[in-house]
């Protein structure tokens, strides 16, 4: 699945950055979405929607502070899950 997202990103540095975000936060994003949706399948769908949005807007994702990146990514997952409700 990661390959599909990285295909959307032209710049190699941005692609590597997205891969790091995916590897570092995918499980946490899934946890956040599952707490909201209470269904593993729906939670995975919400995370996929959030990751797609992050891939499309990778240049606007904060870079400097890992805590800010984490908050950004988990908020994306939360918002995608809430939209699915």
């Amino acid at each position: 699945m990661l390959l599909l997202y990285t295909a959307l990103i032209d710049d190699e540095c941005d692609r590597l950055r997205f891969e790091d975000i995916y590897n570092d936060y995918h499980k946490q994003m899934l946890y956040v979405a599952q707490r909201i949706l209470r269904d593993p399948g729906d939670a995975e769908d919400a995370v996929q929607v959030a990751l797609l949005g992050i891939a499309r807007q990778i240049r606007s994702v904060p870079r400097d502070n890992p805590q800010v990146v984490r908050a950004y990514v988990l908020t994306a997952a939360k918002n995608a899950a809430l939209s699915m409700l």
Side-chain angles (χ1 to χ4, degrees), residues 58-79:
I58 190 67
R59 290 184 181 224
S60 67
V61 176
R63 292 183 178 267
D64 299 336
N65 188 338
Q67 293 173 333
V68 174
V69 174
R70 181 178 182 272
Y72 183 95
V73 169
L74 296 182
T75 299
K78 178 185 80 171
N79 290 340

Side-chain angles (χ1 to χ4, degrees), residues 21-67:
I21 288 171
Y22 182 93
N23 291 327
D24 292 344
Y25 299 110
H26 182 264
K27 288 181 183 178
Q28 292 176 50
M29 293 172 75
L30 193 55
Y31 177 80
V32 167
Q34 202 160 343
R35 296 272 328 248
I36 294 168
L37 296 170
R38 306 275 186 224
D39 180 86
D42 288 344
E44 185 63 41
D45 290 344
V47 170
Q48 299 307 321
V49 168
L51 287 168
L52 182 62
I54 291 169
R56 288 181 176 160
Q57 299 295 324
I58 190 67
R59 290 184 181 224
S60 67
V61 176
R63 292 183 178 267
D64 299 336
N65 188 338
Q67 293 173 333

Side-chain angles (χ1 to χ4, degrees), residues 3-36:
L3 185 61
L4 294 174
Y5 298 121
T6 56
L8 296 172
I9 303 170
D10 295 329
D11 184 62
E12 183 65 26
C13 290
D14 289 340
R15 191 175 302 125
L16 293 173
R17 183 154 183 267
F18 180 82
E19 287 178 15
D20 288 342
I21 288 171
Y22 182 93
N23 291 327
D24 292 344
Y25 299 110
H26 182 264
K27 288 181 183 178
Q28 292 176 50
M29 293 172 75
L30 193 55
Y31 177 80
V32 167
Q34 202 160 343
R35 296 272 328 248
I36 294 168

